[in-house]
Amino acid sequence: VTVVDGQEVERPVDVAALAAGDQIRVLPGELIPVDGRVQRGQAFIRETSFTGEWVPQRRGPGDNVIAGTLCEDGFLSVEVNRAAGQRRFDDLARLIEQARRSPTSLQRQADRFVAWFLPTVLTVAVFTAVFWSWHAEIRTALMHSLAVLLVACPCAAGLATPLVLWSVLGQLAKRGLVVRSGEAIERLAAVDSVIFDKTGTLGDERLTVEAVELPDDPNQRRTTLDIIAALERHSDHPVARALRQLGSGAEISQLAVSWCRALPGRGVTGEVHLSARDNSAGTEVHRVTIERDDSSTNNGHPIILATIDGQPVARFAVREKLRETAATALRQLQSLGLSARIMTGDGWSGAKHVADLAPTSARMSPQAKYEAVKELRRQEAGYARPL
């Protein structure tokens, strides 16, 4: 959807046809196709593909957005500030292509080997043909000469290395790993330590919920969770998918949502009709709002505040859930004799669920992680005494 003279026009437009200054409309659940600046609207944007962070980021007027990120909710009017070919997404694509084209040391060695091996094989094949032409018929001489070329196969020596390199780069790209240089593929063979970040790496986008505050009365607590779950069934936000699991499974006839509206960049609000189980007390109508509480966190984890009829009734802390393959991957690395460890910016309470997988360092800023890696490299090189 493009915006022309203030009017929205819905027609097929190639991204390459968009220029800086053009405006487009991004709908909820769509991938943002351009690098640009938000002019109107507000929404949660999932930037995991570029930052690795699982928590959607709030973006509104004046904020920049990146092509390839996902608009979770809300409508955005975005002004293009980078044409196709200049987006960060295109930069990544160029890095992959550059890595495929840049020769590695192994490839250079293979090229040097082929440079003398091919003439040698051809010379041997010629001498073989001459020798056998004196001692047998020409057919025999030709077959012996071809046998030399076939067994030596000098062309395979020059093709095998780049083919393997391109294949590995392609497989890595399919898994979301961008390699800037083919040299990195060779250096993998010499790796002896593997360090993982936790958020967005060992954890996936499925969230777990920890109740921070709930009503003391068991019946009231169950009713509160049912109302929250009923409303969140109308949203596909990652937090909504987690909260909807908290309900007790009340019948649809007892819980009905008359309307639901996303609060772009904040949460969701709506009206829930609650019927008594025995239909003796009529129907209660509640105005429910569930939104992110930016005024507080729980050990770095986002806090979700739920209000019913304007009164706060529950607060939840949401955190990421470990990928099902995380433990297996760490065990396999350790079985290969590699030292695996985890570094995270979360506090110890947020890191304790990975501490059993590998040695874990918590409350580490990006700069602290960088310095820790430098220190490990100095130790491996023998420039510093071990800790």
Short mmCIF file of all heavy atoms in Angstrom, two decimals, residues 66-101:
data_model
loop_
_atom_site.label_atom_id
_atom_site.label_comp_id
_atom_site.label_asym_id
_atom_site.label_seq_id
_atom_site.Cartn_x
_atom_site.Cartn_y
_atom_site.Cartn_z
N ILE A 66 13.50 -1.06 9.86
CA ILE A 66 14.43 -1.75 8.97
C ILE A 66 13.67 -2.77 8.12
O ILE A 66 12.79 -3.47 8.63
CB ILE A 66 15.53 -2.47 9.78
CG1 ILE A 66 16.19 -1.50 10.75
CG2 ILE A 66 16.57 -3.09 8.86
CD1 ILE A 66 17.13 -2.20 11.74
N ALA A 67 14.03 -2.85 6.86
CA ALA A 67 13.43 -3.85 5.98
C ALA A 67 13.75 -5.25 6.50
O ALA A 67 14.87 -5.52 6.92
CB ALA A 67 13.97 -3.68 4.56
N GLY A 68 12.74 -6.12 6.46
CA GLY A 68 12.92 -7.48 6.93
C GLY A 68 12.46 -7.70 8.35
O GLY A 68 12.45 -8.84 8.81
N THR A 69 12.07 -6.63 9.06
CA THR A 69 11.53 -6.78 10.41
C THR A 69 10.01 -6.87 10.33
O THR A 69 9.40 -6.49 9.33
CB THR A 69 11.95 -5.61 11.32
OG1 THR A 69 11.54 -4.36 10.73
CG2 THR A 69 13.46 -5.59 11.48
N LEU A 70 9.39 -7.36 11.41
CA LEU A 70 7.97 -7.69 11.39
C LEU A 70 7.17 -6.70 12.22
O LEU A 70 7.50 -6.44 13.38
CB LEU A 70 7.74 -9.11 11.92
CG LEU A 70 6.30 -9.59 11.98
CD1 LEU A 70 5.73 -9.76 10.59
CD2 LEU A 70 6.22 -10.90 12.77
N CYS A 71 6.10 -6.17 11.62
CA CYS A 71 5.17 -5.31 12.34
C CYS A 71 4.17 -6.21 13.06
O CYS A 71 3.33 -6.86 12.43
CB CYS A 71 4.46 -4.37 11.36
SG CYS A 71 3.24 -3.28 12.13
N GLU A 72 4.27 -6.27 14.39
CA GLU A 72 3.42 -7.17 15.17
C GLU A 72 1.97 -6.69 15.20
O GLU A 72 1.04 -7.48 15.11
CB GLU A 72 3.96 -7.29 16.60
CG GLU A 72 5.29 -8.01 16.72
CD GLU A 72 5.13 -9.50 16.72
OE1 GLU A 72 4.00 -9.97 16.57
OE2 GLU A 72 6.15 -10.21 16.88
N ASP A 73 1.79 -5.39 15.42
CA ASP A 73 0.43 -4.86 15.56
C ASP A 73 0.45 -3.41 15.09
O ASP A 73 1.49 -2.82 14.85
CB ASP A 73 -0.06 -4.95 17.02
CG ASP A 73 0.87 -4.21 17.97
OD1 ASP A 73 1.86 -3.62 17.50
OD2 ASP A 73 0.62 -4.22 19.19
N GLY A 74 -0.71 -2.84 14.93
CA GLY A 74 -0.79 -1.43 14.55
C GLY A 74 -0.53 -1.20 13.07
O GLY A 74 -0.05 -2.07 12.33
N PHE A 75 -0.85 0.01 12.64
CA PHE A 75 -0.65 0.44 11.26
C PHE A 75 0.44 1.52 11.26
O PHE A 75 0.43 2.41 12.10
CB PHE A 75 -1.93 1.00 10.67
CG PHE A 75 -3.05 0.00 10.56
CD1 PHE A 75 -3.83 -0.31 11.67
CD2 PHE A 75 -3.31 -0.64 9.36
CE1 PHE A 75 -4.85 -1.23 11.59
CE2 PHE A 75 -4.34 -1.57 9.27
CZ PHE A 75 -5.11 -1.86 10.38
N LEU A 76 1.34 1.44 10.31
CA LEU A 76 2.43 2.40 10.22
C LEU A 76 2.46 3.04 8.84
O LEU A 76 2.31 2.34 7.83
CB LEU A 76 3.78 1.74 10.48
CG LEU A 76 4.04 1.12 11.87
CD1 LEU A 76 5.41 0.46 11.89
CD2 LEU A 76 3.91 2.15 12.96
N SER A 77 2.65 4.35 8.81
CA SER A 77 2.99 5.05 7.58
C SER A 77 4.48 5.32 7.62
O SER A 77 4.98 5.98 8.55
CB SER A 77 2.22 6.37 7.46
OG SER A 77 0.85 6.12 7.23
N VAL A 78 5.20 4.78 6.65
CA VAL A 78 6.67 4.82 6.66
C VAL A 78 7.16 5.58 5.44
O VAL A 78 6.75 5.27 4.31
CB VAL A 78 7.26 3.40 6.69
CG1 VAL A 78 8.78 3.45 6.70
CG2 VAL A 78 6.76 2.63 7.91
N GLU A 79 8.05 6.53 5.68
CA GLU A 79 8.69 7.24 4.57
C GLU A 79 10.02 6.57 4.26
O GLU A 79 10.86 6.36 5.14
CB GLU A 79 8.93 8.70 4.93
CG GLU A 79 9.60 9.49 3.80
CD GLU A 79 9.80 10.94 4.17
OE1 GLU A 79 8.92 11.51 4.84
OE2 GLU A 79 10.84 11.51 3.77
N VAL A 80 10.20 6.21 3.00
CA VAL A 80 11.41 5.50 2.58
C VAL A 80 12.60 6.45 2.68
O VAL A 80 12.56 7.58 2.18
CB VAL A 80 11.27 4.99 1.13
CG1 VAL A 80 12.52 4.26 0.69
CG2 VAL A 80 10.03 4.11 0.99
N ASN A 81 13.66 6.01 3.35
CA ASN A 81 14.89 6.82 3.35
C ASN A 81 16.07 6.09 2.73
O ASN A 81 17.16 6.66 2.60
CB ASN A 81 15.25 7.29 4.77
CG ASN A 81 15.40 6.16 5.77
OD1 ASN A 81 15.63 5.03 5.38
ND2 ASN A 81 15.27 6.47 7.05
N ARG A 82 15.86 4.83 2.35
CA ARG A 82 16.89 4.10 1.61
C ARG A 82 16.22 3.30 0.51
O ARG A 82 15.36 2.47 0.77
CB ARG A 82 17.66 3.14 2.52
CG ARG A 82 18.63 3.82 3.47
CD ARG A 82 19.48 2.78 4.18
NE ARG A 82 20.41 3.37 5.08
CZ ARG A 82 21.32 2.68 5.79
NH1 ARG A 82 21.35 1.36 5.66
NH2 ARG A 82 22.13 3.27 6.61
N ALA A 83 16.62 3.56 -0.71
CA ALA A 83 16.04 2.85 -1.84
C ALA A 83 16.51 1.40 -1.85
O ALA A 83 17.48 1.03 -1.19
CB ALA A 83 16.41 3.54 -3.16
N ALA A 84 15.81 0.57 -2.60
CA ALA A 84 16.21 -0.84 -2.74
C ALA A 84 17.64 -0.91 -3.27
O ALA A 84 18.03 -0.15 -4.16
CB ALA A 84 15.25 -1.56 -3.70
N GLY A 85 18.41 -1.79 -2.70
CA GLY A 85 19.82 -1.90 -3.03
C GLY A 85 20.71 -1.21 -2.02
O GLY A 85 21.92 -1.46 -1.97
N GLN A 86 20.11 -0.33 -1.20
CA GLN A 86 20.88 0.38 -0.18
C GLN A 86 20.40 0.04 1.23
O GLN A 86 20.91 0.60 2.21
CB GLN A 86 20.75 1.90 -0.40
CG GLN A 86 21.25 2.35 -1.77
CD GLN A 86 21.00 3.83 -1.99
OE1 GLN A 86 20.28 4.48 -1.22
NE2 GLN A 86 21.59 4.37 -3.04
N ARG A 87 19.44 -0.87 1.35
CA ARG A 87 18.91 -1.23 2.65
C ARG A 87 19.92 -2.09 3.41
O ARG A 87 20.82 -2.69 2.81
CB ARG A 87 17.59 -1.99 2.50
CG ARG A 87 16.51 -1.27 1.71
CD ARG A 87 15.37 -2.20 1.35
NE ARG A 87 15.80 -3.32 0.54
CZ ARG A 87 15.05 -4.34 0.19
NH1 ARG A 87 13.80 -4.38 0.60
NH2 ARG A 87 15.52 -5.31 -0.55
N ARG A 88 19.75 -2.17 4.74
CA ARG A 88 20.61 -3.04 5.53
C ARG A 88 20.44 -4.49 5.10
O ARG A 88 21.38 -5.29 5.13
CB ARG A 88 20.30 -2.89 7.02
CG ARG A 88 20.73 -1.55 7.59
CD ARG A 88 20.41 -1.43 9.06
NE ARG A 88 21.08 -2.48 9.85
CZ ARG A 88 20.94 -2.61 11.15
NH1 ARG A 88 20.15 -1.77 11.82
NH2 ARG A 88 21.56 -3.57 11.81
N PHE A 89 19.22 -4.84 4.70
CA PHE A 89 18.95 -6.18 4.19
C PHE A 89 19.82 -6.47 2.96
O PHE A 89 20.39 -7.55 2.81
CB PHE A 89 17.47 -6.29 3.83
CG PHE A 89 17.06 -7.63 3.30
CD1 PHE A 89 16.72 -8.66 4.15
CD2 PHE A 89 17.02 -7.85 1.93
CE1 PHE A 89 16.35 -9.90 3.65
CE2 PHE A 89 16.65 -9.08 1.42
CZ PHE A 89 16.31 -10.11 2.30
N ASP A 90 19.94 -5.48 2.07
CA ASP A 90 20.76 -5.65 0.87
C ASP A 90 22.23 -5.73 1.22
O ASP A 90 23.01 -6.43 0.56
CB ASP A 90 20.51 -4.49 -0.10
CG ASP A 90 19.06 -4.41 -0.53
OD1 ASP A 90 18.50 -5.45 -0.90
OD2 ASP A 90 18.49 -3.31 -0.48
N ASP A 91 22.65 -5.01 2.28
CA ASP A 91 24.04 -5.10 2.72
C ASP A 91 24.39 -6.52 3.15
O ASP A 91 25.48 -7.03 2.86
CB ASP A 91 24.29 -4.13 3.88
CG ASP A 91 24.19 -2.67 3.45
OD1 ASP A 91 24.32 -2.41 2.23
OD2 ASP A 91 23.98 -1.81 4.32
N LEU A 92 23.44 -7.17 3.86
CA LEU A 92 23.68 -8.55 4.27
C LEU A 92 23.80 -9.48 3.07
O LEU A 92 24.65 -10.36 3.02
CB LEU A 92 22.55 -9.03 5.18
CG LEU A 92 22.50 -8.45 6.59
CD1 LEU A 92 21.28 -8.97 7.34
CD2 LEU A 92 23.76 -8.78 7.36
N ALA A 93 22.91 -9.26 2.09
CA ALA A 93 22.97 -10.09 0.88
C ALA A 93 24.31 -9.91 0.17
O ALA A 93 24.89 -10.88 -0.35
CB ALA A 93 21.80 -9.73 -0.05
N ARG A 94 24.81 -8.67 0.14
CA ARG A 94 26.10 -8.43 -0.52
C ARG A 94 27.25 -9.09 0.26
O ARG A 94 28.22 -9.56 -0.34
CB ARG A 94 26.34 -6.93 -0.65
CG ARG A 94 25.63 -6.31 -1.85
CD ARG A 94 26.12 -4.89 -2.12
NE ARG A 94 25.68 -3.98 -1.07
CZ ARG A 94 24.52 -3.30 -1.12
NH1 ARG A 94 23.72 -3.45 -2.16
NH2 ARG A 94 24.19 -2.48 -0.16
N LEU A 95 27.14 -9.12 1.58
CA LEU A 95 28.18 -9.79 2.37
C LEU A 95 28.26 -11.28 2.03
O LEU A 95 29.35 -11.84 1.92
CB LEU A 95 27.89 -9.61 3.86
CG LEU A 95 28.20 -8.24 4.46
CD1 LEU A 95 27.74 -8.18 5.91
CD2 LEU A 95 29.69 -7.93 4.36
N ILE A 96 27.09 -11.90 1.88
CA ILE A 96 27.08 -13.33 1.53
C ILE A 96 27.68 -13.54 0.15
O ILE A 96 28.48 -14.45 -0.06
CB ILE A 96 25.64 -13.87 1.59
CG1 ILE A 96 25.08 -13.76 3.02
CG2 ILE A 96 25.60 -15.32 1.11
CD1 ILE A 96 23.63 -14.16 3.14
N GLU A 97 27.31 -12.69 -0.79
CA GLU A 97 27.84 -12.82 -2.15
C GLU A 97 29.35 -12.56 -2.16
O GLU A 97 30.11 -13.24 -2.86
CB GLU A 97 27.13 -11.85 -3.09
CG GLU A 97 27.53 -11.97 -4.55
CD GLU A 97 27.18 -13.33 -5.14
OE1 GLU A 97 26.25 -13.97 -4.62
OE2 GLU A 97 27.85 -13.74 -6.10
N GLN A 98 29.78 -11.58 -1.38
CA GLN A 98 31.21 -11.28 -1.30
C GLN A 98 31.98 -12.45 -0.71
O GLN A 98 33.09 -12.78 -1.16
CB GLN A 98 31.42 -10.03 -0.45
CG GLN A 98 32.88 -9.62 -0.29
CD GLN A 98 33.03 -8.40 0.59
OE1 GLN A 98 32.06 -7.72 0.91
NE2 GLN A 98 34.25 -8.11 1.00
N ALA A 99 31.40 -13.08 0.29
CA ALA A 99 32.06 -14.24 0.91
C ALA A 99 32.19 -15.38 -0.09
O ALA A 99 33.18 -16.11 -0.08
CB ALA A 99 31.28 -14.69 2.14
N ARG A 100 31.18 -15.53 -0.94
CA ARG A 100 31.24 -16.61 -1.94
C ARG A 100 32.33 -16.33 -2.96
O ARG A 100 32.96 -17.27 -3.47
CB ARG A 100 29.89 -16.75 -2.64
CG ARG A 100 28.78 -17.29 -1.76
CD ARG A 100 27.49 -17.43 -2.53
NE ARG A 100 27.63 -18.37 -3.64
CZ ARG A 100 26.66 -18.67 -4.48
NH1 ARG A 100 25.46 -18.12 -4.33
NH2 ARG A 100 26.85 -19.52 -5.46
N ARG A 101 32.55 -15.06 -3.29
CA ARG A 101 33.50 -14.73 -4.35
C ARG A 101 34.93 -14.61 -3.85
O ARG A 101 35.87 -14.79 -4.63
CB ARG A 101 33.09 -13.42 -5.01
CG ARG A 101 31.78 -13.52 -5.78
CD ARG A 101 31.43 -12.19 -6.44
NE ARG A 101 30.22 -12.29 -7.24
CZ ARG A 101 29.70 -11.28 -7.93
NH1 ARG A 101 30.29 -10.09 -7.91
NH2 ARG A 101 28.60 -11.44 -8.63
#
